[in-house]
Amino acid sequence: NIIPVIMAGGSGSRLWPLSRDSFPKQFLSIDGSGSSMLENTLDRLHSESISNPIVICNESHRFIVAEQLRKKNKLEQNIILEPSGRNTAPAVALAALHCLKTSNGNDPLMLVLAADHVILKEDIFLDAVMMGTKYAADKHLVTFGIVPDSPETGYGYIKSGMAKGDNVFEIERFIEKPNRISAECYLNEGGYYWNSGMFLFQASSYLNELKEYRPDIYDCCLKAYETSNNDSDFLRVGCDEFLHCPAESIDYAVMEKTKNGLVIPMSVGWSDVGSWSSLWDIQDKDEHNNVRHGDVITLNSNNNYIFSSNALVTTIGVENLVIVQTEDAVLVAEQSNVQRVKDIVNTLKINE
Ligand code: GDD
Ligand code: MG
């Protein structure tokens, strides 16, 4: 059996003003379906060989997560709480320790997932996961590769090596978030995949690699886990111990360094919804190429992403804009500038 581990501790600042610290994007419905990204992630795991998930998130979001798990009938003491995020390497370590402890001496397979990804072709995705199980059971750290179509710098890049099986390759190099020039080189050179940010491995495989490459993180997580306490639906890890843990992502801490990595390329309509323009890319458009949510009227306007929460939003003669209206804030940005929404959020934090 595979245990999904859903990482849900990110702040999602690039989808401000809809996504807020108190209610980040993974808990919101951003596609108008009424289901949150976390709920969609839960729904995606419909296979008999996949058991109930573990969700790991920030203390302050515990009731949102519990509610969304309950709604899907998947709440059963399976939420791990971090007092404050230390990025994904520690989060996955806590989940791995928990998987080992609760599996009666077994060393279960963990399917590590982000709570904020869109996957359009769920069956193909599940096929790729099932294909990976044999390799993960053989101590490999399996990644899922996406064929890149632009030199994005927000992703990890995986250079595939020798074939290990049908559509399974060794990892020759893993480069987390390269600069623009390197990303362009990788694209021209070919043979590179984006890291989708999802992983499949045995709990002990991950912990052994972490112990080898980042013993400092491993030690802090072990202490934090050993001093954790159960509070009905929640497992709270030892606060002081965890706060001492260095903050690092699984990609830098383990995946760039491990020699046991494999990549399974897949075409599943994947998006990590990293910005408003990536939402424009994947959502349904009107006859003028506008994506519209809520009460919106456009005249002579093309290629815009317009989201209204609770007011009428109207546009005349504008192009390539992102307009997002919420109860207490409005964003108007050129699509080409949407990555800088993060800077606005930082400015707001400084002025707080
Ligand atoms: N519990 C917990 N604690 N979850 C966290 C934390 C944390 O401290 N930090 C981030 N997460 C969650 C986020 O909510 C998200 O679901 C997932 O972990 C990945 O974190 P991101 O911060 O979104 O990572 P990224 O997008 O910059 O990079 C990763 O994903 C890319 C694909 O989307 C890397 O794995 C890249 O290599 C990859 O290409
Ligand atoms: Mg992300």
Side-chain angles (χ1 to χ4, degrees):
N1 254 22
I2 304 172
I3 305 179
V5 169
I6 303 177
M7 307 179 287
S11 65
S13 56
R14 282 172 295 186
L15 290 194
W16 183 90
L18 198 61
S19 178
R20 302 290 174 96
D21 277 349
S22 58
F23 217 109
K25 70 171 174 188
Q26 58 269 31
F27 308 126
L28 291 164
S29 169
I30 44 132
D31 57 3
S33 72
S35 274
S36 75
M37 304 193 81
L38 172 63
E39 288 165 3
N40 291 339
T41 307
L42 297 169
D43 283 343
R44 199 171 291 147
L45 305 170
H46 46 75
S47 158
E48 277 172 7
S49 27
I50 299 183
S51 42
N52 248 12
I54 293 171
V55 180
I56 176 151
C57 68
N58 194 277
E59 166 85 33
S60 59
H61 300 135
R62 63 192 181 284
F63 295 126
I64 305 175
V65 171
E67 189 47 43
Q68 298 194 353
L69 279 170
R70 182 179 297 121
K71 198 169 141 194
K72 297 289 170 188
N73 248 325
K74 288 189 167 162
L75 180 64
E76 53 153 33
Q77 301 184 315
N78 47 350
I79 303 173
I80 303 179
L81 299 178
E82 299 161 302
S84 165
R86 287 292 176 266
N87 213 325
T88 51
V92 176
L94 294 173
L97 291 163
H98 191 61
C99 283
L100 280 180
K101 175 147 179 220
T102 51
S103 294
N104 307 320
N106 291 327
D107 187 358
L109 291 182
M110 300 166 61
L111 175 62
V112 176
L113 303 170
D116 55 357
H117 289 171
V118 168
I119 293 179
L120 299 178
K121 299 177 190 162
E122 303 191 333
D123 293 344
I124 306 182
F125 166 66
L126 285 180
D127 288 346
V129 169
M130 293 311 156
M131 213 171 90
T133 53
K134 154 174 148 201
Y135 300 93
D138 198 23
K139 309 280 171 224
H140 288 288
L141 282 72
V142 177
T143 64
F144 300 91
I146 309 290
V147 176
D149 57 17
S150 63
E152 277 286 336
T153 53
Y155 296 146
Y157 283 69
I158 298 171
K159 171 112 206 255
S160 62
M162 297 245 296
K164 185 90 183 161
D166 197 17
N167 200 40
V168 184
F169 301 89
E170 288 177 357
I171 293 180
E172 201 174 296
R173 260 184 96 198
F174 186 116
I175 310 100
E176 176 64 2
K177 299 196 172 73
N179 61 29
R180 189 85 187 177
I181 295 168
S182 305
E184 278 166 4
C185 287
Y186 303 152
L187 222 62
N188 291 335
E189 200 180 309
Y192 283 83
Y193 296 95
W194 285 333
N195 171 33
S196 65
M198 303 184 277
F199 308 93
L200 182 70
F201 39 62
Q202 278 185 317
S204 68
S205 306
Y206 176 71
L207 290 171
N208 286 339
E209 294 299 272
L210 186 67
K211 206 189 298 182
E212 162 130 14
Y213 298 114
R214 289 303 301 265
D216 51 341
I217 296 180
Y218 177 84
D219 288 341
C220 289
C221 290
L222 188 61
K223 282 186 199 135
Y225 185 74
E226 281 170 347
T227 52
S228 58
N229 64 72
N230 263 309
D231 165 15
S232 69
D233 294 325
F234 308 114
L235 184 84
R236 268 197 188 78
V237 303
C239 184
D240 291 343
E241 288 76 9
F242 194 68
L243 292 179
H244 277 115
C245 187
E248 190 64 281
S249 73
I250 179 174
D251 317 280
Y252 286 119
V254 172
M255 296 316 299
E256 276 197 339
K257 305 193 175 90
T258 182
K259 297 180 179 68
N260 297 335
L262 295 179
V263 58
I264 298 183
M266 57 179 196
S267 299
V268 295
W270 171 90
S271 166
D272 84 334
V273 194
S275 67
W276 287 113
S277 64
S278 65
L279 276 177
W280 182 86
D281 285 340
I282 58 169
Q283 294 186 349
D284 291 340
K285 298 167 191 71
D286 66 14
E287 64 274 23
H288 297 285
N289 244 351
N290 300 302
V291 173
R292 312 200 250 161
H293 288 286
D295 219 357
V296 175
I297 297 177
T298 57
L299 274 184
N300 195 22
S301 301
N302 302 299
N303 306 323
N304 302 291
Y305 185 97
I306 308 168
F307 189 109
S308 137
S309 291
N310 62 351
L312 171 65
V313 175
T314 65
T315 66
I316 306 174
V318 297
E319 299 199 330
N320 306 323
L321 294 186
V322 169
I323 302 172
V324 181
Q325 177 271 338
T326 67
E327 204 161 337
D328 61 352
V330 176
L331 167 74
V332 179
E334 290 256 14
Q335 290 225 24
S336 56
N337 275 311
V338 287
Q339 290 295 345
R340 298 201 55 203
V341 169
K342 256 199 317 222
D343 301 341
I344 301 258
V345 175
N346 287 336
T347 312
L348 288 170
K349 282 194 177 139
I350 293 164
N351 296 337
E352 236 168 33

